Amino acid sequence: MCSSDLATVAHDIMWVLRTTHRCDDEYGGFMGRLPPGRRHYRSIEHNIDMFAFARMLGSTEDQESASRFVTAMMGKNDIPGVYHIGTGGSDRCDTSTSSGHVPVDAQVWSTAARADSHMSHMKSAIEFTISEGSHGMWETDIDYIGNNGEQAGAKYEGVKFAAGGHGIQWEVTSGAVLGLIEFQRQGGSIDVSAKIHEARESIKRLIQVYHTVPPSVMGGNINAWHRNDHDHPYPGGSDTGLGWTYLRYPHVASVSWAGLLMLY
């Protein structure tokens, strides 16, 4: 298939999304799922993707709609200065924002894609991302197991999956580093260079030790995770805080995002 054919297909896909799943209310943006599993929620993650897709196609109206939704999600949460996960889905273009989830990808991908042009929004989201403890996303994990004992006890730095999570998740950490690099390139007023260095070095060490990238270095199985003991050295992987965990296995998304980061 030649490039012109691919461009035609891409424009056709955008036309379907625009005519069936774009909302033209004050939030704008695109809803979650097409038929047969139609869902009416609007996700900030999806709309960051849609912003980038529309920009590649030169579809300025769709780009503006997705950007408007991303921008509207700033501050729609109990935690100030962060992007909200999205809207409810009880009916078409639902505007409710009752869910309290704060995923890290919402904070960093917007900056990476420049989906929200407000530097003050980017700054507050990045500040939360690189803050440690219960009031941020940044964590340090100890790999008690290593690869057949290699690098057992090593410390790694990165971000958890969401504000309510526990343990570093490596797929979103690579994406976070991309966002931090873009924030730095855009003249962001916070020095994020140390965080970029520590997380990138951690990912490189994972590749060297495991010859892959697991989504978590935290040991324990699914039964351990169900016990909900986050202080245990083997808590059952990295808990997202959204109802599932990432266990300590090779993981396609974590490998792919690490590859994108290294290429970048």
Side-chain angles (χ1 to χ4, degrees), residues 91-165:
D91 50 37
R92 180 178 173 81
C93 297
D94 188 343
T95 59
S96 65
T97 54
S98 58
S99 171
H101 297 309
V102 180
V104 74
D105 52 24
Q107 315 313 312
V108 292
W109 289 358
S110 175
T111 301
R114 305 186 187 190
D116 181 351
S117 61
H118 296 79
M119 182 55 79
S120 61
H121 291 181
M122 293 186 223
K123 178 186 175 184
S124 63
I126 293 297
E127 275 183 322
F128 186 77
T129 300
I130 65 173
S131 295
E132 300 175 19
S134 59
H135 300 292
M137 298 284 200
W138 204 267
E139 293 209 340
T140 300
D141 282 353
I142 299 174
D143 181 359
Y144 290 104
I145 301 170
N147 186 6
N148 293 318
E150 182 185 352
Q151 289 289 311
K155 290 185 178 181
Y156 296 89
E157 290 192 38
V159 294
K160 52 191 177 182
F161 192 87

Side-chain angles (χ1 to χ4, degrees), residues 64-262:
E64 186 280 328
S65 181
S67 176
R68 181 155 37 100
F69 181 79
V70 172
T71 304
M73 290 300 102
M74 169 55 68
K76 293 289 192 299
N77 198 281
D78 295 337
I79 302 173
V82 297
Y83 290 103
H84 191 61
I85 194 169
T87 66
S90 60
D91 50 37
R92 180 178 173 81
C93 297
D94 188 343
T95 59
S96 65
T97 54
S98 58
S99 171
H101 297 309
V102 180
V104 74
D105 52 24
Q107 315 313 312
V108 292
W109 289 358
S110 175
T111 301
R114 305 186 187 190
D116 181 351
S117 61
H118 296 79
M119 182 55 79
S120 61
H121 291 181
M122 293 186 223
K123 178 186 175 184
S124 63
I126 293 297
E127 275 183 322
F128 186 77
T129 300
I130 65 173
S131 295
E132 300 175 19
S134 59
H135 300 292
M137 298 284 200
W138 204 267
E139 293 209 340
T140 300
D141 282 353
I142 299 174
D143 181 359
Y144 290 104
I145 301 170
N147 186 6
N148 293 318
E150 182 185 352
Q151 289 289 311
K155 290 185 178 181
Y156 296 89
E157 290 192 38
V159 294
K160 52 191 177 182
F161 192 87
H166 298 271
I168 298 168
Q169 206 275 357
W170 291 103
E171 170 194 349
V172 296
T173 295
S174 290
V177 176
L178 288 168
L180 294 177
I181 293 170
E182 270 304 311
F183 179 75
Q184 196 172 52
R185 286 181 171 175
Q186 293 174 46
S189 57
I190 310 166
D191 183 6
V192 295
S193 55
K195 297 298 188 186
I196 291 171
H197 175 77
E198 291 302 329
R200 188 160 49 191
E201 289 302 305
S202 292
I203 293 163
K204 286 162 66 176
R205 191 183 321 125
L206 285 173
I207 295 170
Q208 290 167 350
V209 172
Y210 289 99
H211 310 293
T212 184
V213 183
S216 173
V217 297
M218 308 295 281
N221 58 22
I222 197 68
N223 292 327
W225 176 69
H226 282 303
R227 285 194 289 271
N228 203 33
D229 182 2
H230 303 298
D231 294 324
H232 196 282
Y234 308 106
S238 294
D239 174 31
T240 62
L242 279 70
W244 72 91
T245 189
Y246 284 92
L247 296 171
R248 194 175 170 278
Y249 297 116
H251 184 234
V252 170
S254 295
V255 172
S256 301
W257 275 97
L260 289 170
L261 173 61
M262 294 304 134

